[in-house]
Amino acid sequence: MAVTIRDVAYASGVHVSTVSRAFSAPHLVNPETRTRVLAVAEELGYRPNRAARALTTGRTHNIGLIVADIANPFFPPLIKAAQAQARTRDYHVFVADTDEDPQVEEELIQTLTKQVDGVLLCSPRLTNKTIERLHEDVPFVVVNRRVKGMPTVLMDVGRGARLAVEHLRDLGHRRIALVSGPSGSWTSRQMHEAAAAMSGVDLVLLGPNPPTEQGGLQAAGDVAASGVTGVLAYNDLVAIGLMEGLIGRGVDVPGDISVIGVDDIVSGRLTRPKLTTIAMPTAAAGRMAVDMLLQSVGEGGGTPVAMLETDLIIRESTGEAPR
Amino acid sequence: MAVTIRDVAYASGVHVSTVSRAFSAPHLVNPETRTRVLAVAEELGYRPNRAARALTTGRTHNIGLIVADIANPFFPPLIKAAQAQARTRDYHVFVADTDEDPQVEEELIQTLTKQVDGVLLCSPRLTNKTIERLHEDVPFVVVNRRVKGMPTVLMDVGRGARLAVEHLRDLGHRRIALVSGPSGSWTSRQMHEAAAAMSGVDLVLLGPNPPTEQGGLQAAGDVAASGVTGVLAYNDLVAIGLMEGLIGRGVDVPGDISVIGVDDIVSGRLTRPKLTTIAMPTAAAGRMAVDMLLQSVGEGGGTPVAMLETDLIIRESTGEAPR
DNA sequence: TTGAAAGCGCTAACAC
DNA sequence: GTGTTAGCGCTTTCAA
């Protein structure tokens, strides 16, 4: 068995409670005793058992991070950043993948609840109602979606969409398609609203579509047939699939049709032409979400909503409208 | 506070131990009592506290998964698969990113040790000695590296390298470069040994290089100057950077130089030309590693070493040798 | 400043 | 088949 607080207490000739204090309430113990205890602990290789500690303190020092699909390139930078940020606060993170299944998501949250101080819900697929119910048992921070009364981290995709449409308009495009994502998606709705409000262009809504390359590929026919010269896609994956489908049909990108994606995943820099896209601050979102969660765990006050900036990155998949 | 076993016991008129048994030793309790207890538990929304359970059983039902870099596209499929497999066995997984820093890696392992039943070490950067020392406190499974006496999951990159070299040889290439990875890398060494043993081709070793796009980009000059007509790169990232550098220098791929990567990351399908690569069974490795870990946690016997198949995926970055 | 004792939620002998 | 009891490793009153 591993070395416990008792071993340290015995070896340093003090009571366990003193050892405990030496670690978690240093000011309550004589400096000399403390140094001695710490030295002995070090020598024995003692590490406090966080689970046992959690039992009395009610603080696990763990958080849960639930995402729809780890393999979706949008998430890894967020996971990485969240995990790194958590570590600076001495927190560990459980990562769970729901495979886009709300059922799995709910179950995961429930089994995780007792082991964590809070949960980060990234692009959750659950209904608001279910989220609210589950929230009774554990603090949440929701990323990429708006749920009433819940601390939230959003990325301003509306602004991104406006920038994108402006960019296309400046290039002379007058008829633009929005190749949307899944029907329930908050992001998709934001994009639509922002784009629809822009003057000087006609907007054609094409969707819903699965948020994947496949989804984009399948939409290529409709896009080609729609007579648009510019496209704003739900995300980079969709944009990449779309470009593939378009090029496969003999459509030139950006000669005939300009394409803009969302997310700025690394793959977007590798396509030919390189993808113009709206960069999402995923890493910043991960960090901020962790901060918010630990904040709300500590105090419980308020329901902060953060809106992070997005930016348009112009590469090669957009150009002058054909005339 | 959340509902505990005590609440359930009280509400169903039995002792806590009976409730405990109803969950973890059903055969020891009267079927009727059991159904009643379970019903009450369900109604109250009782969920066993796994941390508390771990305190008595010594089984946390958690595992740790430590990777060098979550954002490296090689890892997400592995993480996803490991996490999914763990879930089928009722295990949760801590994911931690070391940022390629051995120091961080060691500390992470130490703080995680008490909270998990075992740890998956993916492409660890620690010395064998350190790994062996840490292994005294917690079971390990090592992925992508060979450590004496440790359960291991390997991917047969040697075979992949042979297939790759054969493929180039069949296309008429006689002088081939191996653009290697980091100096300590097990994978890199395997590739080198396998490729060097092939007859009918001259092998030029270029490296070590960082395992990134940047690394490939920087190696482009040497590759172009080396007079080879075929290249096997350490991984897809390096291969992609290399292609970029080559094409930027006016070298045609595959017209002048053929390029083969390793990993089969999704981005490789997006480059122009599409990347020929050695597919690594990362998802299978993740699943197998979890199985091995839980196996060794359960029994502790043996030191299994699994070698998973790799395959050559021929796309567009390889072609006939120029004459 | 330190020790003693109770208890966090749960399981595991041991009785009955 | 079920209740009793002790205890997992730790923190936290309460005394001294």
Side-chain angles (χ1 to χ4, degrees), chain A residues 288-301:
Chain A
M288 165 129 293
V290 167
D291 282 345
M292 250 186 209
L293 190 60
L294 299 189
Q295 180 86 9
S296 85
V297 165
E299 324 188 346

Side-chain angles (χ1 to χ4, degrees), chain A residues 47 50 55 62 69 80 83 87 92-95 97 99 108 110-111 114-115 213 267 269, chain B residues 47 50 55 62 69 80 83 87 92-95 97 99 108 110-111 114-115 213 267 269:
Chain A
R47 298 254 157 191
R50 300 168 139 237
L55 213 47
N62 294 147
D69 179 9
K80 183 179 171 94
Q83 177 274 153
R87 200 159 56 74
H92 292 317
V93 9
F94 285 111
V95 175
D97 181 311
D99 244 334
L108 237 20
Q110 286 178 339
T111 55
K114 292 277 188 36
Q115 293 191 84
E213 225 182 302
S267 293
R269 297 194 337 256
Chain B
R47 297 255 157 189
R50 300 168 138 236
L55 214 47
N62 293 148
D69 179 9
K80 184 179 169 92
Q83 177 273 153
R87 201 160 55 74
H92 291 319
V93 9
F94 285 109
V95 175
D97 180 311
D99 244 334
L108 237 20
Q110 286 178 338
T111 56
K114 292 276 188 38
Q115 293 191 83
E213 225 182 301
S267 293
R269 295 193 338 253

Side-chain angles (χ1 to χ4, degrees), chain B residues 25 51 89 95 167-168 184 187 260 283 289-290 314 316:
Chain B
R89 317 286 224 87
V95 175
H167 171 55
L168 290 174
T187 299
I260 302 181
V290 167
I314 300 173
E316 306 165 352

Side-chain angles (χ1 to χ4, degrees), chain B residues 62-131:
Chain B
N62 293 148
I63 64 179
L65 172 52
I66 300 193
V67 302
D69 179 9
I70 297 173
N72 178 332
F74 174 78
F75 288 113
L78 192 155
I79 299 173
K80 184 179 169 92
Q83 177 273 153
Q85 183 71 3
R87 201 160 55 74
T88 68
R89 317 286 224 87
D90 197 26
Y91 266 73
H92 291 319
V93 9
F94 285 109
V95 175
D97 180 311
T98 67
D99 244 334
E100 308 264 0
D101 183 340
Q103 191 77 32
V104 172
E105 191 173 341
E106 179 170 359
E107 220 174 285
L108 237 20
I109 293 173
Q110 286 178 338
T111 56
L112 234 31
T113 290
K114 292 276 188 38
Q115 293 191 83
V116 301
D117 295 340
V119 176
L120 251 48
L121 256 31
C122 301
S123 314
R125 302 294 190 243
L126 292 170
T127 62
N128 278 13
K129 200 171 199 162
T130 310
I131 294 180

